[in-house]
Amino acid sequence: MTRYKALDAMRGLTIALMILVNTPGSWSHVYAPLLHADWHGCTPTDVIFPFFMFIIGSAMFFSFKKTNSAASASQVLRLVKRGAIIFAIGLALNIYPFTTNIENLRILGVLQRIGIAYILASICVLLLNRRGVISLSVVILIAYWLLLLSVGSNNAYTLENNLVRSVDIAVLGESHLWQGKGLAFDPEGLLSTLPSVVSVLFGFEVTR
């Protein structure tokens, strides 16, 4: 089987960077670029997850190439099943060893977002041509931006009042969100998964 060295190199470097930021040696002394931005801003650490989403989209192209991207009911079902398994693994990792109390179980997470974004992006590329995928990506990003602004420009990008947090609280409840910033807020929220879908689509189209 032919290996695509550029994709392998990007995957390897991204995993290496992920390991580096997750195991800095001492959490009391970490170089600033190896930490996520507290809220506003961007560090090298913040690009790791988007890189993974891009890689998923790129790998998706080679996977779909084997079936000529045929949009059949069985193909869609297979994709949904694959994404659901990824989501379930992420949920299981939230349960063990972090909590045994279902009432405080964090439902979302990195693998959960990957599963959701994979399902949505894969269905898009099966149903749409390249122009359709690009047009949909632009629409998603503009719509996401406008949705954030719908709560008012003063609150649109604040941690406490942004729409992403409000939607997650309304749908999932505060007790099922990440609590890492001193309040209920999930960095892998439902609404904020939309631009992650675009990252997957971007990887697919760059490779196409």
Side-chain angles (χ1 to χ4, degrees), residues 60-72 75 125-126 204 208:
M60 186 190 299
F61 169 78
F62 298 113
S63 176
F64 284 11
K65 192 175 181 181
K66 300 175 183 177
T67 59
N68 296 319
S69 299
S72 63
Q75 174 78 322
V125 299
L126 286 178
F204 185 92
R208 174 141 48 176

Side-chain angles (χ1 to χ4, degrees), residues 26-49:
S26 170
W27 288 106
S28 300
H29 305 280
V30 184
Y31 291 108
L34 301 182
L35 292 172
H36 287 287
D38 184 56
W39 181 242
H40 294 291
C42 181
T43 72
T45 301
D46 294 316
V47 304
I48 294 175
F49 191 66

Side-chain angles (χ1 to χ4, degrees), residues 49-125:
F49 191 66
F51 279 4
F52 270 120
M53 303 308 284
F54 178 93
I55 291 166
I56 290 169
S58 183
M60 186 190 299
F61 169 78
F62 298 113
S63 176
F64 284 11
K65 192 175 181 181
K66 300 175 183 177
T67 59
N68 296 319
S69 299
S72 63
S74 60
Q75 174 78 322
V76 172
L77 182 61
R78 185 160 51 248
L79 296 172
V80 171
K81 180 180 178 182
R82 186 177 300 167
I85 290 173
I86 296 172
F87 187 100
I89 292 173
L91 188 60
L93 291 174
N94 282 354
I95 295 173
Y96 181 83
F98 297 108
T99 182
T100 56
N101 185 356
I102 301 300
E103 293 181 358
N104 296 319
L105 171 64
R106 182 189 177 197
I107 296 176
L108 300 175
V110 170
L111 287 178
Q112 293 90 316
R113 169 167 284 184
I114 290 175
I116 296 172
Y118 173 81
I119 292 172
L120 296 177
S122 60
I123 292 175
C124 287
V125 299

Side-chain angles (χ1 to χ4, degrees), residues 191-202:
L191 190 61
S192 56
T193 297
L194 290 175
S196 288
V197 174
V198 176
S199 296
V200 179
L201 295 175
F202 182 56

